[in-house]
Amino acid sequence: MYPAREIEKKWQSFWQEIELFKTPKNPKRKFYLLEMFPYPSGDLHMGHLRNYVMGDVVWRYLRMKGYDLLHPFGWDAFGLPAEEAAIKRGESPKKWTMNNISVSKNTLKLMGLSYDWDREVTTCNPDYYRWTQWLFLKLYEHGLAYRKEAYVNWCPGCQTVLANEQVIGGKCWRCDSPVRKKALTQWFIKITEYAERLLKDIDKLEGWPERVKTLQRNWIGKSEGAEIDFEVEGMDLKLSVFTTRPDTLFGVTFITIAPEHPVVEKLIRGTKNEKKIREYIEQALLLTEIERTRMDREKTGIRTGRYAIHPFTGERIEIWIGDYVLVSYGTGIVMGVPAHDQRDFEFAKKHGIPIKVVIRPPDRDLNPEIMEEAYEEEGIMINSGIFSGLPSREGIKEITKYMEAKGIGRKKVTYRLRDWLVSRQRYWGAPIPMIHCERCGIVPVPYEDLPVLLPPEEKVDFTPRGKPPLASVPEFINTTCPKCGGPAKRDPDTMDTFVDSAWYHIRYLDPKNEKEPVRRSEANKWFPIDLYIGGIEHATGHLIYFRFITK
Ligand SMILES: [Zn+2]
Ligand SMILES: [Zn+2]
């Protein structure tokens, strides 16, 4: 039998003595070997070790081949579970986290893994989150961080905001109250500004698995099409829809608006069905966006009783509100073309909406009376005024051109990718370094005042009271405005932990630097990462943010 205790101990202390895992200062054949850092929620489990042992094997192999390696480790240490421990058991989030880190670190050391512990990074330490805040200020400075209203899951029982994972079947995981949606003004990062670059540069990623690249392409979800304006009958109001199929424009028989679209209020106020519509909207917003847009789910909707005017034919077109439309995709309004979209077809059949054929297959005619499914392919345009007879692909261009000339529509590219909502109504995260002054508005914390420290836990009441915990800590929330010197308030929210993990790989290069996040010289030495080991589940979240932050 292998006497692990003795042999491991002997060699591990020898490795330590000769500083085997220390990163060379001036690498000749550099190799940056990185594994995704863990969230310290207890001790490590086999899933973690699987990742780390892979890294260790690579390190040892390359080391023997003569490479100079950087192989760091750290902790994604902010996050919800620490705060839950505080709420449920009155534990200190910091103590809970630090304790988990020390247990996990001990396990890693027992495994004899080849990490350079001198470069350890812990995201909940002020010497780290100071630079996370710095990064936020930089994004703000460049117009990439902005505030906007967004819906959050709200539990009226617990008086708190819930993460999507905490809403189970529309109810609060903790107290079973039905969850509602509530509009809150929050910070977003304008990742969509980089959608095209993030997409194009996927082709430049060397060594990335095809599967990850495909996931990212789909996540960014580029679609080219047109935006078309519809006037609303009897109102001074225009509805712009986005479609990838402007060639089917003459087949539009209804329009559907996302339930949370700001225009809905204007449309339904004072209408006969207002109460029913509001009930529908309330219900619709209980579902997550994923549930709402699932392909196998039946589209639901409700008539507003209002009509739009077809920009070419002048026909009256019913305006609906439907949960399958998302406000964040395209314009949040879509046109319904039952003859040429299967789900619109089913929707029309169910609600008695007319079906109008405007694309004919090259070899036959379609009769809307007896059609059993939509015809979604290309074909020849019919019943389309001056565009009849054109192949549909050409029709897309011609109709768009015509609309642009008339000012009723335009060519448009949209992405499925959304801006990144980073505000969290939580304590255990990096405070958002912004100040709200009654006189000056939003004022960023000056760089030299960073970090904005979390107040000591003793001062914080973790019992949910309908506002973020930091809002109830006077020592934290009350401050002076850096601009006018008057009384002001700090932003009470903390940042999504994905902001912390979006740049940790950069900090490893220069973890003790107190003047800047990283020295350029160190970055030049070690970047790019030569091998990154982690789970496929991070293909779209972390790995998109991680790419974005260096753009
Ligand atoms: Zn609750
Ligand atoms: Zn001020």
Side-chain angles (χ1 to χ4, degrees), residues 44-112:
L44 297 172
H45 54 70
M46 285 317 272
H48 289 119
L49 292 179
R50 175 169 159 253
N51 255 351
Y52 306 148
V53 167
M54 278 191 240
D56 190 57
V57 168
V58 172
W59 186 92
R60 285 168 196 276
Y61 173 71
L62 291 176
R63 177 66 208 260
M64 285 188 275
K65 301 257 290 184
Y67 280 91
D68 294 321
L69 290 110
L70 167 62
H71 192 206
F73 203 83
W75 311 94
D76 192 7
F78 273 136
L80 201 50
E83 195 152 333
E84 296 301 346
I87 297 171
K88 278 200 198 130
R89 301 187 293 274
E91 285 179 62
S92 142
K94 188 172 170 188
K95 226 173 117 193
W96 185 84
T97 306
M98 290 306 174
N99 186 43
N100 290 340
I101 289 180
S102 103
V103 169
S104 303
K105 190 170 169 180
N106 189 43
T107 305
L108 290 173
K109 287 198 161 168
L110 283 175
M111 294 285 297

Side-chain angles (χ1 to χ4, degrees), residues 196-211:
E196 190 58 34
R197 273 180 70 187
L198 286 167
L199 184 66
K200 277 221 176 94
D201 293 353
I202 289 176
D203 298 333
K204 293 191 212 155
L205 297 173
E206 275 172 44
W208 284 50
E210 265 323 303
R211 201 168 140 218

Side-chain angles (χ1 to χ4, degrees), residues 509-551:
L509 305 181
D510 205 1
K512 300 199 172 77
N513 194 334
E514 286 173 13
K515 295 199 191 72
E516 51 191 342
V518 63
R519 272 168 296 170
R520 191 167 286 274
S521 60
E522 293 308 300
N524 289 342
K525 247 183 239 174
W526 290 106
F527 271 145
I529 296 165
D530 296 282
L531 180 63
Y532 194 17
I533 304 175
I536 187 91
E537 69 276 15
H538 296 292
T540 49
H542 165 63
L543 285 176
I544 293 243
Y545 303 138
F546 171 93
R547 289 183 53 218
F548 160 74
I549 222 76
T550 52
K551 292 278 170 203

